Amino acid sequence: MTQLTRPLRVLAGILSAALVLVACSGGPQDAPLEVEIMQVVGQQVKQRLKRQPERPPVTRALLDSLDETYIEVTIEDDGQRAYLQPQLVKRDSTPGQVTVWLTEDAVTLAMRNGVLTATRGLRNDMLSSSALIRETGGAMGPAGGETGARRYEFAALDNRSQAFTLACTVSDLGPETIEIIELTYQTRHLQERCESGLDGEYGVVVNDYWVDSRSGQLWQSRQWAGPTTGYLRIRQLTL
């Protein structure tokens, strides 16, 4: 298990019912940047945790006492929740910045400007995903309009992978005020709709992003992590 800082252990010990970990398959040899980064911070996590008892709710007073950056991630299907810190930040020739977020038990999520691009430690991990992001003014979230094809690759049995491509469009659903643990934010609600087949006849993925109207910070999102894990609800708790 990756050695963690004391504040992360403390927060996780008080609050977190950690994400269930399952052995994950390795990616292809010509892995993109997100996959290579994952290998650095802990690939092929094989530890399985028992469900933890219900924890007290997180309060803003508790969060204000911490100096570190945290996000909260909840698996929508079963309500399991974890609190993650940034483990690695890197830029490459592609627009945006890749951040790898880490739980206390080495589940990792890679995001490019807040858009999920890879996971490690979940069932049938997302090995990689292309992400067309906003490039102006430092704003986070997906690019607007007809963003074109988005390619996903997931771990499968026998160390294999399965890839498929969806056609995506991003719409601005307008202003929306959201609340995250006693604080409110004025945001724009962006929705990314990705379809397979004519009019989504073979499947539809809908990702939602709430981006700060002034700073461009992505405060909240609901993003698909694959057919097995389903959707993740992600909130930025501290910066």
Side-chain angles (χ1 to χ4, degrees), residues 172-189:
D172 186 340
L173 301 186
E176 190 169 327
T177 301
I178 63 171
E179 180 180 352
I180 300 178
I181 308 182
E182 304 172 47
L183 290 181
T184 58
Y185 303 96
Q186 303 301 317
T187 70
R188 303 292 300 186
H189 182 183

Side-chain angles (χ1 to χ4, degrees), residues 8 69-73 82-86 101-103 107 109:
L8 180 54
T69 298
Y70 290 98
I71 61 172
E72 174 193 82
V73 178
Y83 300 89
L84 291 75
Q85 271 192 294
W101 298 86
L102 177 69
T103 72
V107 174
L109 307 180

Side-chain angles (χ1 to χ4, degrees), residues 17-37:
L19 297 170
V20 172
L21 307 186
V22 178
C24 63
S25 303
Q29 293 299 317
D30 56 344
L33 173 68
E34 285 83 355
V35 178
E36 295 175 1
I37 293 175

Side-chain angles (χ1 to χ4, degrees), residues 49 95 148 163 196 210 233:
L49 297 180
S196 176
W210 287 265
R233 288 186 276 114

Side-chain angles (χ1 to χ4, degrees), residues 2-12 68-70 85-87 102-104:
T2 306
Q3 184 64 35
L4 304 178
T5 60
R6 181 178 179 276
L8 180 54
R9 291 199 303 270
V10 171
L11 180 64
E68 291 74 26
T69 298
Y70 290 98
Q85 271 192 294
Q87 179 72 2
L102 177 69
T103 72
E104 63 167 338

Side-chain angles (χ1 to χ4, degrees), residues 50-69:
K50 295 180 180 179
R51 183 181 293 274
Q52 299 296 316
E54 195 71 24
R55 303 295 185 182
V58 183
T59 65
R60 183 53 54 180
L62 173 60
L63 295 175
D64 287 344
S65 71
L66 303 173
D67 296 327
E68 291 74 26
T69 298

